[in-house]
Amino acid sequence: VVTCRTLFDSLLSLKESTESAYSTNPLHCRKTTHIGVLLPPWGDMSESQKWGWVVDNMTPWYISFYVSWKDCGFPTHWVWYEDYFSNQEQGLTKILEWAGIPQDRQTASAWCPTDGKLSVGRVGRGLQQMPEWAKIRVMRHTEEWGSWYEDITRDLCKNA
């Protein structure tokens, strides 16, 4: 099961999680991101520099992640963040069906959190909040992938 999200929403989420980590623990945040990319001095950067860093460092990583799973040759079930979180119970039911795990409505609903810890990412915020120049840079990164360009733009750049 491979979980993906639109590129613009993913980049906004990465930017916000970096900002949150930095505000919580600036010394730790100066080391690396959760994927091992060395962070610049986040607290000293302007908003424009932060967007530039996220776009130029995270876009290639995210596209590479996507392409590696598309091209892996293994049976995969793609779960789009936007679809899954619009109806989590239905999304989980589809995953269980794909994996051949016997289930019923109670199984799926039992696995869905009810403690308020459900992710509530709002679809489309990345496109709304990202500066126009940053969107253009994101799209330039997609052009570098040649024959994968159509797949990338169709799947990762929805509504762009």
Side-chain angles (χ1 to χ4, degrees):
V1 176
V2 181
T3 305
C4 256
R5 188 176 188 187
T6 66
L7 189 51
F8 298 101
D9 286 348
S10 295
L11 294 172
L12 175 63
S13 181
L14 285 164
K15 180 180 175 290
E16 289 177 341
S17 65
T18 302
E19 287 171 343
S20 175
Y22 185 82
S23 67
T24 304
N25 188 349
L27 293 178
H28 173 72
C29 193
R30 286 185 182 265
K31 296 177 184 172
T32 60
T33 66
H34 63 284
I35 61 167
V37 176
L38 187 63
L39 277 173
W42 196 260
D44 299 335
M45 297 168 71
S46 68
E47 190 68 10
S48 179
Q49 289 171 319
K50 290 174 184 177
W51 271 116
W53 186 88
V54 167
V55 167
D56 290 341
N57 288 278
M58 300 291 100
T59 303
W61 178 88
Y62 195 75
I63 293 173
S64 180
F65 165 82
Y66 165 84
V67 169
S68 70
W69 279 106
K70 278 289 193 181
D71 200 35
C72 74
F74 297 113
T76 52
H77 177 70
W78 289 81
V79 176
W80 292 94
Y81 181 94
E82 301 82 4
D83 297 334
Y84 183 81
F85 284 105
S86 69
N87 186 336
Q88 191 178 14
E89 188 175 318
Q90 181 183 36
L92 185 54
T93 298
K94 287 180 181 180
I95 292 169
L96 294 172
E97 286 173 1
W98 177 81
I101 298 172
Q103 44 78 35
D104 55 31
R105 187 174 177 93
Q106 288 180 328
T107 304
S109 62
W111 287 6
C112 296
T114 57
D115 58 3
K117 295 183 180 177
L118 175 66
S119 177
V120 291
R122 288 167 298 209
V123 177
R125 274 190 334 122
L127 271 176
Q128 293 168 357
Q129 294 185 21
M130 186 180 289
E132 200 59 38
W133 63 264
K135 293 176 196 173
I136 292 167
R137 271 166 69 171
V138 167
M139 296 310 292
R140 285 191 186 138
H141 281 291
T142 67
E143 293 167 3
E144 297 168 2
W145 286 85
S147 63
W148 285 100
Y149 176 76
E150 285 185 32
D151 291 318
I152 292 166
T153 55
R154 178 194 63 236
D155 292 342
L156 300 181
C157 302
K158 297 172 184 173
N159 304 317

